[in-house]
Amino acid sequence: MTERQGSAERKLDRLLGEALGVRTDGTEYVPPSAGSAAAEGDDAEAAGEDSEEAEDDVGPHLAGGLLTSSAELWTLFVRKSARDARRSLLSSSLPSEDQDKQLRDKIAAAYDLALDRGGAYARDNHVLWKAYLSYVKSWVPPGSNPDQDARLHSLLGVQRAQLRKVYQRLVCHPMTGLDQLWTEYEAFERGQSEALATALIGEFLPKYQHARSVYLERGRVYNVHELRAGRLATPPVDWNLYSDGSGPASAVTPAGEGAAAGDAGVGGGSRAEYLSAMSEECAVLAKWRRRCGYERTNPERLSAAELGRRVRSAFKDCCAAFCRHPEVWHEWSQWELLHSSSSSSEDGAKAKSAALGLPKNALAAANVLRLARLHIPDSALLAQAHASILESHAVSGASSSGAGSSPPTSSDGGGGAAAVKAMADFCSAHGTTLGYVLWERLARRHG
């Protein structure tokens, strides 16, 4: 591999890691700190050196990047994982049969990882599921006779077990083409054993019917076209976008005060265009909120951990489409604050939250706000929300003294000090009148 190819491979790894939150080798992706060599994607060793520093700055990654609902990106992730696995086996001295087994296991693991980390809930999740099925079906070449080849006979048994596992997982997920996939699963089971097929089909038929009803109900609640999924994120509609920015926003005359709908605003901008764009943006945002609210009702009857991933996936989609709108980030952080403690149980997250003196739900909410401030660094709302979480939860997470513990103050190094420091950092970087007022209030309260 040439130096140019190696650089391109590292950049692709970085882009997939930022989008999906996981590396092709299955490890968690930690964004490198700004300005580091790893941030440029040109030094693999620097990435490892900067990961600890970056984790301190951004916190543990939120179970994936913001684009975990993209089936196309997960398909690319699997393709790259398969290519890397083939390259690693080129110099192997193992027998060809062992190499083939290792390759099958690595590619199947890549599919499972993609599905577990958001691909199963992607908008076009049927694309990923069908690709997984097609890959497993390719293990035994068509037209071969396993009865005359012991190796193929053994591989056929492994293939059938893997196909059954994939079919039984996918029929429980609402998706396009679910009826056809269920028909294929029935034919597959009946082709193995009629008695076993009767038992398994009877077990999974209610799950398939429920997934089908959820798919139809979800289509009545919202659809992808109304959500405009995949739209490029833009700043909130502002009057200055429809003018030359030389005058105040008050140039938009309220209706009923002598201004016609088509009056020109500052710099010749049309008031009608501004109001139309504002109305359209609010309508789309309301549909995204409706979608997130619907997923929180748990229509798929998921477990607590699975429901957390499902709702988090919906919030990620919303924030990807409206990443310049602070309110969507704030809503996501509030959901994490209320529900994250029951939606996940990773030991690493528990250890990290204990080390930072925050309960796990507060740590997850704070990480959402940190991520939000990377996109909207000058938002006083996000800075205040972050400081409020630190003020309310830092001491309770770091100490087990209970309800009788004294309020945090800046002198005890607890939540108050962390909140004051967070607002001070915000004001030093993006000072606004509101930011300084909030900082002053915190400083007086914990001074």
Side-chain angles (χ1 to χ4, degrees):
M1 182 183 297
T2 64
E3 181 180 354
R4 182 176 181 182
Q5 290 174 331
S7 176
E9 287 290 323
R10 289 191 291 271
K11 287 181 180 179
L12 180 57
D13 284 335
R14 177 173 59 84
L15 291 174
L16 287 176
E18 291 177 352
L20 302 175
V22 64
R23 299 182 186 276
T24 53
D25 59 1
T27 58
E28 195 81 12
Y29 174 80
V30 179
S33 56
S36 66
E40 301 300 325
D42 293 331
D43 194 341
E45 296 181 358
E49 295 172 358
D50 291 332
S51 60
E52 183 177 353
E53 177 185 355
E55 188 171 349
D56 292 338
D57 293 339
V58 183
H61 212 42
L62 298 165
L66 288 181
L67 301 178
T68 53
S69 291
S70 172
E72 293 82 2
L73 283 178
W74 283 120
T75 302
L76 179 61
F77 171 85
V78 173
R79 288 173 55 191
K80 189 177 187 308
S81 299
R83 186 180 64 182
D84 291 346
R86 292 189 181 96
R87 285 178 174 175
S88 65
L89 292 173
L90 289 177
S91 58
S92 176
S93 59
L94 293 174
S96 59
E97 294 182 3
D98 293 341
Q99 291 187 21
D100 292 342
K101 183 180 182 302
Q102 282 194 10
L103 182 61
R104 288 194 302 269
D105 292 344
K106 288 183 178 181
I107 297 179
Y111 273 110
D112 289 333
L113 179 64
L115 293 169
D116 292 339
R117 298 298 294 268
Y121 306 114
R123 291 188 297 271
D124 296 326
N125 55 348
H126 64 283
V127 175
L128 197 58
W129 285 109
K130 289 180 179 179
Y132 196 0
L133 284 174
S134 299
Y135 170 68
V136 177
K137 290 177 181 179
S138 68
W139 287 1
V140 177
S144 59
N145 190 355
D147 295 334
Q148 299 179 359
D149 189 330
R151 185 184 65 84
L152 284 180
H153 184 77
S154 175
L155 180 58
L156 182 62
V158 175
Q159 182 195 50
R160 288 172 177 173
Q162 187 69 16
L163 280 174
R164 179 176 288 114
K165 174 185 174 182
V166 176
Y167 272 123
Q168 290 177 352
R169 287 185 64 187
L170 70 87
V171 296
C172 300
H173 287 275
M175 70 180 75
T176 303
L178 184 60
D179 294 338
Q180 178 186 353
L181 292 170
W182 172 257
T183 302
E184 292 180 9
Y185 175 57
E186 282 187 309
F188 167 77
E189 290 292 2
R190 297 190 189 280
Q192 312 305 317
S193 169
E194 189 66 33
L196 181 60
T198 301
L200 291 178
I201 290 174
E203 177 184 354
F204 283 91
L205 179 60
K207 299 179 181 180
Y208 151 70
Q209 291 174 336
H210 178 66
R212 185 175 183 272
S213 65
V214 170
Y215 176 76
L216 297 175
E217 181 184 21
R218 187 172 285 155
R220 292 190 293 268
V221 174
Y222 66 87
N223 61 66
V224 177
H225 299 292
E226 290 180 344
L227 297 176
R228 299 186 184 178
R231 70 188 289 269
L232 292 177
T234 57
V237 174
D238 186 4
W239 172 245
N240 290 330
L241 299 177
Y242 296 88
S243 67
D244 63 0
S246 59
S250 60
V252 182
T253 307
E257 294 187 7
D263 285 350
V266 177
S270 171
R271 175 175 178 269
E273 293 177 359
Y274 166 74
L275 295 177
S276 175
M278 177 69 76
S279 176
E280 180 180 355
E281 181 181 86
C282 290
V284 176
L285 185 55
K287 289 181 172 62
W288 275 104
R289 285 173 169 159
R290 184 179 182 184
R291 181 203 173 185
C292 294
Y294 173 76
E295 299 300 344
R296 289 198 297 268
T297 63
N298 195 10
E300 299 181 48
R301 303 173 188 170
L302 303 172
S303 64
E306 291 176 336
L307 176 62
R309 287 192 291 267
R310 186 72 183 90
V311 176
R312 192 173 289 114
S313 176
F315 275 117
K316 287 178 181 179
D317 288 346
C318 182
C319 289
F322 288 91
C323 71
R324 303 296 299 276
H325 291 63
E327 60 268 33
V328 297
W329 293 100
H330 185 260
E331 291 171 9
W332 182 10
S333 70
Q334 292 303 301
W335 179 85
E336 294 283 359
L337 190 62
L338 293 175
H339 301 283
S340 185
S341 59
S342 62
S343 65
S344 137
S345 58
E346 292 83 356
D347 294 336
K350 291 180 179 179
K352 185 68 177 179
S353 64
L356 294 179
L358 286 171
K360 188 168 58 175
N361 59 332
L363 178 64
N367 288 336
V368 170
L369 294 172
R370 288 192 186 100
L371 184 61
R373 291 177 63 187
L374 294 178
H375 297 280
I376 321 175
D378 58 346
S379 173
L381 168 66
L382 298 177
Q384 168 62 14
H386 187 199
S388 177
I389 290 174
L390 296 176
E391 180 183 22
S392 303
H393 298 276
V395 172
S396 61
S399 172
S400 57
S401 56
S405 59
S406 59
T409 64
S410 59
S411 59
D412 62 12
V420 172
K421 182 179 184 302
M423 286 305 302
D425 293 342
F426 168 76
C427 290
S428 63
H430 305 280
T432 62
T433 301
L434 177 59
Y436 281 111
V437 169
L438 295 173
W439 180 19
E440 183 178 358
R441 289 178 59 186
L442 278 173
R444 288 180 176 178
R445 187 157 62 241
H446 301 285

